Amino acid sequence: MTTETSLPHHIARQFDASACALAPLGNGLINDTFLVSTTDGRHFVLQRINQQVFPQPLLINANLSVLSKHIRQQPGARLQIPAIVYTAAGESHVQDSQGGLWRAQSFIANTQSLESLRNLDDARQTGYALGHFHRLLSNLNPLSLHDTLPGFHITPTYLNHYHNISSQTCGTDPFCADFISNFQDRADRLETAQQQGRLYLRVIHGDPKLNNFLFAKDTASIVSLIDLDTVKPGLVHYDIGDCLRSCCHDPVTDHFNLDIGAAILTGYLSEAGAFFSPDDYAYLYAAIELLPFELGLRFYTDYLQGNRYFKVSAPEQNLHRAQAQFRLCASVTAQQAALSALIKQLTPDKATLD
């Protein structure tokens, strides 16, 4: 850890005067996150919110307060939610001299995040934890939360933005451009289902990729779901689709791993089945296919715009990310029959699929 005087160090001491060292934490593409150590051996998490992504960052902590209170009141809750750490003055945030906004949260000890699943038990645990999260919040009015990212996970909006950008850009990538052109007619399926009253807004995590699940080091069970900045009203299908996209992606081949998908869906529906409707089951495949396309579309559009949103280490990194997601989407499509059969097998008799 670094101990030199720095802006993050100065900010950390406003949350806890005994902060003595900090180090970068995680590999998120949006915010700057640090693990802070104190002189008496405690830890907390310090984060600078990316205000280009979150234009109203104070709403994030407001949502976290609502979320934490609700989950604490639910019987049988098995997930810990990071608590807000306040400054000595009782503030939930600190603003630096450049206008940056910082917040702090409790650190959940004796846990680890994974970059890849170790086995199918990890996959089932991941699905179960996301389903448990959704079930605990299924009786919370989604409109009690602020929409911290308007338009987030609204694929038709991303598609319209892409068309506006690509029409003004020379030198587009033929593979990405062709893939978008061929898939775009399917981009509005979930939003159309919501408009038709077949799917409903619920509370979603917004970014349930694998490394946002914390596994207990001693039991290998999941004890927390973190990175709650994107919690908001939305369709739970975006969450389960994104979780599968993250966990089932073979980064070497860009293939969708059906065995992992089966384990995650089994775990997820063991909890989410408590509130799922027949239409919720019916649109699962559409979500699994859509989310790799959506993220690929976002990566590619950001590449065309000069990498303004996602952090990159090389100018073409977002292009390569987009190509990988589109190949993953194609792998899902190629396995549509098997995925549909799996979903049918997991659907209770009372629910029927279209």
Side-chain angles (χ1 to χ4, degrees):
M1 289 189 177
T2 181
T3 57
E4 73 269 13
T5 301
S6 62
L7 176 60
H9 211 101
H10 172 71
I11 298 295
R13 286 175 175 159
Q14 296 186 55
F15 287 100
D16 190 321
S18 66
C20 62
L22 57 88
L25 180 65
N27 59 359
L29 300 180
I30 305 300
N31 299 319
D32 298 320
T33 307
F34 303 89
L35 178 63
V36 181
S37 299
T38 65
T39 54
D40 57 358
R42 293 176 293 107
H43 298 89
F44 65 93
V45 177
L46 179 68
Q47 193 168 58
R48 175 166 49 194
I49 304 298
N50 185 332
Q51 291 175 256
Q52 290 184 327
V53 176
F54 298 101
Q56 295 182 284
L58 296 181
L59 301 184
I60 294 173
N61 272 358
N63 280 355
L64 184 57
S65 295
V66 173
L67 191 77
S68 298
K69 179 180 179 181
H70 182 82
I71 288 181
R72 286 197 305 269
Q73 294 172 343
Q74 303 309 300
R78 299 179 60 183
L79 289 176
Q80 300 179 47
I81 300 299
I84 297 172
V85 175
Y86 293 89
T87 68
E91 298 291 337
S92 65
H93 64 281
V94 170
Q95 191 164 23
D96 62 36
S97 58
Q98 288 78 44
L101 191 137
W102 300 73
R103 57 88 176 267
Q105 294 177 292
S106 61
F107 176 70
I108 300 177
N110 300 315
T111 61
Q112 60 183 332
S113 63
L114 304 178
E115 293 303 321
S116 60
L117 295 166
R118 297 165 296 191
N119 49 55
L120 292 181
D121 285 338
D122 283 349
R124 281 186 287 271
Q125 274 283 314
T126 301
Y128 173 86
L130 182 60
H132 187 60
F133 179 80
H134 285 163
R135 183 176 66 78
L136 291 174
L137 298 170
S138 62
N139 59 348
L140 175 63
N141 182 354
L143 299 184
S144 65
L145 298 177
H146 300 284
D147 191 342
T148 55
L149 273 177
F152 186 53
H153 279 321
I154 310 298
T155 313
T157 301
Y158 293 130
L159 185 61
N160 289 336
H161 181 53
Y162 158 74
H163 284 306
N164 290 335
I165 296 302
S166 62
S167 67
Q168 306 169 30
T169 306
C170 297
T172 57
D173 177 71
F175 170 74
C176 289
D178 288 347
F179 194 93
I180 294 169
S181 177
N182 291 331
F183 190 92
Q184 60 185 351
D185 289 345
R186 287 170 274 177
D188 64 351
R189 284 180 294 181
L190 296 185
E191 292 303 309
T192 298
Q194 182 194 345
Q195 293 162 11
Q196 294 172 342
R198 303 190 68 179
L199 298 179
Y200 297 92
L201 289 180
R202 297 185 175 104
V203 178
I204 67 171
H205 179 279
D207 189 23
K209 59 182 182 291
L210 178 61
N211 60 14
N212 283 332
F213 294 83
L214 294 184
F215 289 76
K217 290 182 179 179
D218 53 349
T219 65
S221 61
I222 292 175
V223 298
S224 184
L225 189 51
I226 59 171
D227 198 2
L228 302 168
D229 300 351
T230 50
V231 168
K232 55 172 279 181
L235 300 177
V236 295
H237 289 66
Y238 287 120
D239 268 3
I240 184 59
D242 204 27
C243 181
L244 287 160
R245 177 204 61 76
S246 165
C247 295
C248 300
H249 180 204
D250 183 330
V252 176
T253 64
D254 294 325
H255 180 77
F256 182 92
N257 188 310
L258 188 61
D259 291 336
I260 292 174
I264 290 173
L265 280 172
T266 299
Y268 177 77
L269 291 170
S270 70
E271 285 286 289
F275 64 84
F276 252 38
S277 71
D279 281 329
D280 286 323
Y281 286 97
Y283 280 92
L284 277 174
Y285 173 76
I288 298 169
E289 186 181 53
L290 181 63
L291 267 293
F293 172 78
E294 179 192 287
L295 185 57
L297 182 65
R298 294 173 62 204
F299 279 142
Y300 184 53
T301 304
D302 198 35
Y303 164 73
L304 294 178
Q305 287 189 282
N307 305 313
R308 299 178 182 179
Y309 186 93
F310 296 105
K311 293 178 183 177
V312 296
S313 57
E316 294 195 338
Q317 187 172 10
N318 275 328
L319 172 61
H320 298 152
R321 288 168 171 164
Q323 292 168 338
Q325 291 301 313
F326 290 149
R327 286 191 290 267
L328 176 62
C329 181
S331 177
V332 171
T333 302
Q335 299 180 81
Q336 179 175 359
L339 278 163
S340 296
L342 169 64
I343 293 167
K344 184 176 181 180
Q345 177 185 343
L346 295 172
T347 301
D349 292 340
K350 67 179 181 178
T352 58
L353 299 182
D354 289 348

